[in-house]
Amino acid sequence: MIKKEFCAENFTRVPEAIELGADRIELCDRLDVGGITPSIEVIEETVAYARQRGVEVVVMIRPRGGSFIYSEAEKEHMKKEARQAIDLKADGIVFGCLTEDGDIDKPIVSELIRIADFKQTVFHMAFDAIPEEKQLESLNWLIEQGCTRILTRGAASGSALENKAAIIDLIEKSEGQIEILPGGGLTHENLEQTRVEIPANQFHGTKIVPLPGF
């Protein structure tokens, strides 16, 4: 069995997505800018609805669109939002913070993992912006920190299927010590092909289940 993670912009399509087979919800706002932190009210509504149906909810922690390099004020805001999401019984948090040099911003990322307090932690597609020569070190550091999974499309652009070689390489290098979640251009229509070509047990997308109008 595979796990289908539906990327939800607010609560609106969550009931339909769960009805159509979504196993986990990545909850965010403003998908037009790549996703930011949803409101407290949306987190509460989504977690309450999903929990009754045995579906997990992980919450995006991101103060704005644009780069993954954040000011000290933005980092403090992210920590506050992470605490709120955990207090609201989310199953985990999703984040990605980098330095000017393209490394993981270790102080804030380690603090967000600590705030999650053994709940799921997901380093999102900011990973794909890390220079290739630094990705193995970054992978190993996230493993050492106890990060649950990495969401990746395998490169800074293109789809997961187009970048399948890079994703497969990441899966092999992870040696089962951290989950690898392919996303990017994946839909309910190409999911079966993706399952054959990428040896993962979970997949992510806004179209991962056949929602009407998507």
Side-chain angles (χ1 to χ4, degrees):
M1 290 291 291
I2 64 162
K3 181 165 284 190
K4 291 176 277 188
E5 180 177 281
F6 174 68
C7 180
E9 183 177 51
N10 296 312
F11 178 73
T12 311
R13 307 302 295 269
V14 168
E16 293 173 276
I18 292 174
E19 180 69 24
L20 291 167
D23 303 291
R24 183 169 61 226
I25 304 296
E26 183 200 68
L27 183 65
C28 62
D29 194 7
R30 295 291 308 275
L31 282 176
D32 60 314
V33 297
I36 63 172
T37 308
S39 70
I40 288 175
E41 293 77 15
V42 167
I43 297 172
E44 286 179 324
E45 184 176 24
T46 305
V47 168
Y49 185 91
R51 178 157 292 189
Q52 291 177 353
R53 291 154 181 84
V55 173
E56 299 173 334
V57 178
V58 292
V59 176
M60 175 70 72
I61 305 298
R62 190 180 179 206
R64 55 161 172 78
S67 81
F68 303 114
I69 303 166
Y70 299 109
S71 68
E72 290 306 313
E74 288 173 328
K75 292 174 191 177
E76 288 302 314
H77 189 61
M78 292 174 77
K79 288 189 279 187
K80 177 183 175 182
E81 291 183 326
R83 292 187 190 99
Q84 289 175 335
I86 296 302
D87 288 345
L88 292 169
K89 311 300 183 187
D91 295 287
I93 53 175
V94 184
F95 49 81
C97 311
L98 303 178
T99 67
E100 294 279 359
D101 296 327
D103 294 306
I104 292 176
D105 189 334
K106 294 178 180 178
I108 179 61
V109 170
S110 59
E111 180 66 8
L112 291 170
I113 291 172
R114 187 195 67 77
I115 289 169
D117 193 27
F118 300 108
K119 290 197 173 182
Q120 298 174 40
T121 50
V122 187
F123 198 93
H124 61 46
M125 289 181 182
F127 190 88
D128 298 331
I130 298 171
E132 187 175 348
E133 66 272 15
K134 296 182 177 184
Q135 287 192 357
L136 180 57
E137 178 188 347
S138 299
L139 170 70
N140 289 332
W141 184 82
L142 288 170
I143 290 170
E144 290 168 5
Q145 299 305 305
C147 187
T148 307
R149 75 181 65 92
I150 297 170
L151 170 62
T152 177
R153 63 169 69 239
S157 61
S159 70
L161 273 172
E162 290 169 335
N163 303 322
K164 64 183 180 181
I167 297 176
I168 293 169
D169 184 56
L170 195 60
I171 291 170
E172 291 174 349
K173 287 175 177 174
S174 72
E175 297 181 339
Q177 297 178 82
I178 189 171
E179 299 171 16
I180 305 300
L181 173 60
L186 301 186
T187 72
H188 60 95
E189 294 177 330
N190 65 20
L191 183 57
E192 193 57 43
Q193 177 191 355
T194 305
R195 289 177 61 184
V196 170
E197 299 191 27
I198 300 177
N201 59 10
Q202 53 185 312
F203 298 92
H204 166 100
T206 58
K207 302 178 181 180
I208 205 74
V209 293
L211 284 176
F214 267 50

